[in-house]
Amino acid sequence: MPTVDSLPIEQKVAFRRKSVQVMRDLFDLSALMVSVEDYQKAKDNFFSPAQKIWFMFGGTIKRLEPGLGNQIESHINAINPLLDQAAPNRALTASLDELNRLMASAVTISDAKL
């Protein structure tokens, strides 16, 4: 079975872009769930699927741009405990927005240095 690393460059780029878009959609969904105070759904969307995607390609970003990779992981780690609070504050929404901004940079770096 082929792996992502065995794909042609064009397909690698498309896969990474799609992965980042899926992560963004999950982060946006988490932010929406926070705005309606459904913290469990926010947590469900953030923890499992989004973090699994990061673990699939985050190593590439960390290798290509260590500072950016560390910033992304730092935001992910900061968001986790916020989602555990009974009523997360605005810091959660701000962190999700910043994480989306960082992910846009990550895909740019990934594409440029493939």
Side-chain angles (χ1 to χ4, degrees), residues 54 58 61-63 65-75 106:
W54 171 249
I61 300 303
K62 288 172 82 173
R63 188 179 85 260
E65 190 69 39
L68 178 61
N70 291 334
Q71 282 184 305
I72 291 170
E73 277 195 357
S74 179
H75 273 78

Side-chain angles (χ1 to χ4, degrees), residues 5 8 13 37 43 49 51 53 55 66 93 96 107:
D5 291 332
V13 169
E37 298 181 2
K43 187 175 182 176
Q51 287 186 337
I53 293 169
F55 291 127
T93 302
L96 286 167
V107 83

Side-chain angles (χ1 to χ4, degrees), residues 23-110:
M23 281 186 75
R24 282 181 164 171
D25 290 346
L26 290 167
F27 294 155
D28 286 344
L29 185 56
S30 290
L32 177 63
M33 292 298 101
V34 166
S35 72
V36 296
E37 298 181 2
D38 191 339
Y39 303 115
Q40 186 57 52
K41 283 187 183 168
K43 187 175 182 176
D44 291 346
N45 284 299
F46 183 78
F47 273 122
S48 293
Q51 287 186 337
K52 283 181 184 175
I53 293 169
W54 171 249
F55 291 127
M56 281 191 330
F57 84 96
T60 300
I61 300 303
K62 288 172 82 173
R63 188 179 85 260
L64 297 174
E65 190 69 39
L68 178 61
N70 291 334
Q71 282 184 305
I72 291 170
E73 277 195 357
S74 179
H75 273 78
I76 289 172
N77 292 334
I79 290 168
N80 286 338
L82 292 174
L83 286 168
D84 284 333
Q85 296 176 0
N89 58 27
R90 289 195 173 135
L92 177 57
T93 302
S95 290
L96 286 167
D97 290 344
E98 178 63 9
L99 190 52
N100 276 333
R101 188 189 69 73
L102 292 170
M103 293 307 300
S105 295
V107 83
T108 301
I109 296 290
S110 177

